[in-house]
């Protein structure tokens, strides 16, 4: 979908301090840079839910992914890991793209980098969307659950990767969780991750918030034991044109719980600046609970066999539910059903 027929080519941008930054470009539309946390863009394409997110977003946007210094396919000799270094990574990618203006999607640790870039380059940022971070990153990293997880970085790297994917980020079990854990495991080395997290805890852009003029959407969905909503509210209130939206659920990641709805909201924000949620099926044609479940799983790219396994029903039953929901939605294929789910924010 969105013209994606395989993993996009990996390109390289050179930073001002001579670090090679790996990046990928897919899709068409407004240039939107999905900024990394601890990343491995090549491995992330093998996560079904992430691949679905990349494909869906690239239908409307020119989606740009990159690995920060010291991670993934980027230069593993990171040098400095402070805020200025991360801003240099972003600057290098934007210059390599030749883009005059961009949207920024700041995820976790990259929230601070997005704020810093937008504050110092107001003429180059159209809109921002921020999730899972904080103006003072130590506020996002201080909960006991997070500190317990970080203690595993040097003690047991494999256990850290597995726990980060399943318990910390809420990917549950199954292929998505296993692939996310592998992406973490291969993103960098334990020693570099230790330094990376230590520097992340020192990031503080609170004094830059009021210099951000780009319309900024802050999304919040966390369990009570993770990032408090007040941290996200402070971030949204601090920028001049900030909006906070609290998403339903408690999974501390996007595109997993209510994935189609998340994707619809993100695309709509970057295209129009609108934060409205999607509409429902027309009265009289409402989907049953099971049909909604089948549509939700189809929209994440799962096969009928995978949907059957997840719901504990037969593949034939999935086909029957799919046929019924296609009729109700007025669509003729999985692709059209998925497009409907994206447009209407179906869960």
């Amino acid at each position: 979908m969105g013209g994606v027929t395989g993993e996009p080519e990996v390109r390289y941008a050179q930073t001002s301090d001579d670090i090679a930054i790996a990046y990928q470009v897919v899709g068409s539309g407004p240039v939107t840079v999905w900024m990394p946390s601890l990343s491995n863009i090549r491995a992330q394409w093998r996560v079904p839910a992430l691949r679905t997110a990349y494909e869906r977003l690239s239908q409307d946007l020119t989606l740009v992914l990159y690995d920060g210094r010291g991670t993934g396919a980027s230069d593993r000799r990171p040098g400095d890991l402070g805020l200025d270094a991360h801003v240099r990574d972003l600057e290098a990618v934007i210059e390599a793209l030749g883009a005059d203006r961009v949207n920024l999607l700041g995820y976790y640790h990259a929230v601070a980098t997005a704020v810093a870039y937008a504050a110092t380059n107001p003429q180059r940022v159209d809109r921002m969307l921020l999730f899972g971070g904080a103006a003072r990153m130590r506020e996002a990293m201080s909960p006991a659950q997070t500190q317990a997880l970080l203690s595993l970085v040097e003690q047991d790297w494999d256990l850290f990767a597995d726990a980060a994917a399943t318990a910390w980020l809420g990917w549950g079990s199954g292929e998505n969780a296993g692939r996310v854990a592998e992406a973490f495991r291969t993103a960098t080395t334990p020693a570099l991750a230790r330094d990376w997290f230590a520097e992340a805890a020192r990031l503080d852009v609170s004094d830059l918030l009021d210099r951000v003029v780009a319309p900024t959407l802050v999304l919040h969905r966390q369990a009570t034991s993770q990032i408090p909503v007040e941290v996200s509210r402070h971030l949204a209130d601090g920028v001049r044109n900030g909006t906070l939206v609290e998403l339903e659920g408690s999974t501390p990641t996007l595109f997993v719980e209510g994935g189609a709805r998340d994707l619809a909201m993100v695309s709509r924000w970057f295209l129009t600046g609108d934060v409205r949620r999607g509409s429902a099926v027309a009265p009289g044609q409402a989907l049953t609970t099971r049909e909604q479940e089948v549509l939700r799983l189809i929209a994440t790219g799962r096969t009928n066999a995978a949907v059957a396994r997840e719901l504990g029903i037969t593949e034939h039953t999935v086909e029957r539910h799919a046929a019924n929901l296609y009729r109700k939605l007025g669509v003729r294929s999985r692709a059209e059903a998925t497009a409907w789910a994206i447009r209407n924010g179906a869960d």
Side-chain angles (χ1 to χ4, degrees):
M1 298 204 176
V4 181
T5 57
E7 182 195 328
E9 172 193 5
V10 175
R11 311 176 189 179
Y12 288 89
Q14 207 72 16
T15 68
S16 58
D17 56 342
D18 200 32
I19 300 292
I21 301 299
Y23 72 99
Q24 296 172 318
V25 183
V26 62
S28 60
V31 177
T32 302
V33 183
W34 185 332
M35 300 168 60
S37 189
L38 195 65
S39 70
N40 182 343
I41 50 177
R42 282 176 163 161
Q44 287 160 200
W45 276 95
R46 295 191 287 273
V47 179
L50 281 179
R51 183 184 180 91
T52 296
Y54 299 155
E55 291 175 343
R56 301 299 181 264
L57 293 177
S58 66
Q59 291 178 347
D60 298 319
L61 308 166
T62 297
L63 185 65
V64 182
L65 311 170
Y66 72 93
D67 287 327
R69 57 183 58 211
T71 67
S74 289
D75 203 328
R76 290 298 183 99
R77 50 175 190 89
D80 181 16
L81 287 169
L83 179 62
D84 290 345
H86 295 302
V87 171
R88 288 195 292 271
D89 294 350
L90 175 59
E91 288 173 338
V93 171
I94 292 174
E95 291 306 314
L97 293 169
D100 294 326
R101 301 184 65 84
V102 298
N103 296 317
L104 299 179
L105 196 168
Y107 219 68
Y108 301 118
H109 154 276
V111 163
T113 308
V115 168
Y117 184 85
T120 53
N121 298 274
Q123 76 286 358
R124 303 196 71 173
V125 180
D126 281 329
R127 294 188 182 91
M128 285 203 303
L129 187 149
L130 307 176
F131 178 84
R136 298 181 181 89
M137 272 302 295
R138 64 179 178 274
E139 294 178 352
M141 299 171 67
S142 60
Q145 181 187 37
T146 302
Q147 289 301 307
L149 177 71
L150 295 179
S151 71
L152 295 173
V153 169
E154 288 192 281
Q155 296 177 35
D156 191 327
W157 182 239
D158 288 338
L159 180 57
F160 165 79
D162 290 336
T166 56
W168 197 34
L169 296 179
W171 286 90
S173 58
E175 185 178 7
N176 277 316
R179 295 288 190 180
V180 170
E182 183 62 17
F184 273 124
R185 191 174 292 112
T186 58
T188 191
T189 65
L192 200 148
R194 174 202 61 207
D195 296 341
W196 192 89
F197 282 117
E199 287 292 339
R202 287 191 276 269
L203 294 177
D204 186 347
V205 293
S206 54
D207 61 339
L208 296 176
L209 290 180
D210 64 359
R211 294 170 55 186
V212 174
V213 297
T216 300
L217 176 62
V218 179
L219 299 181
H220 181 92
R221 178 171 55 215
Q222 309 284 336
T224 55
S225 61
Q226 293 166 324
I227 304 172
V229 68
E230 289 75 21
V231 172
S232 296
R233 184 171 294 117
H234 171 73
L235 186 60
D237 290 346
V239 300
R240 298 185 191 182
N241 297 297
T243 301
L244 172 67
V245 172
E246 296 183 52
L247 302 174
E248 296 175 359
S250 59
T251 303
T253 191
L254 291 177
F255 315 130
V256 176
E257 184 177 3
R261 189 179 294 271
D262 289 351
L263 286 165
M265 190 173 206
V266 170
S267 288
R268 189 179 298 118
W269 170 252
F270 284 131
L271 289 171
T272 68
D274 183 6
V275 297
R276 288 181 299 111
R277 306 306 292 268
S279 59
V281 182
Q285 289 293 303
L287 301 183
T288 65
T289 299
R290 182 63 87 190
E291 288 165 354
Q292 291 174 16
E293 292 172 336
V294 170
L295 176 61
R296 173 177 59 82
L297 294 172
I298 285 175
T300 65
R302 288 172 172 83
T303 64
N304 284 349
V307 173
R309 286 194 300 272
E310 182 144 346
L311 296 180
I313 57 181
T314 68
E315 193 169 347
H316 174 73
T317 302
V318 172
E319 292 170 354
R320 178 167 54 79
H321 286 310
N324 288 338
L325 70 88
Y326 290 174
R327 175 179 53 77
K328 291 180 179 181
L329 301 181
V331 303
R332 294 173 295 179
S333 66
R334 295 173 69 86
E336 290 184 6
T338 297
W340 187 97
I342 297 303
R343 287 194 305 271
N344 292 280
D347 277 342

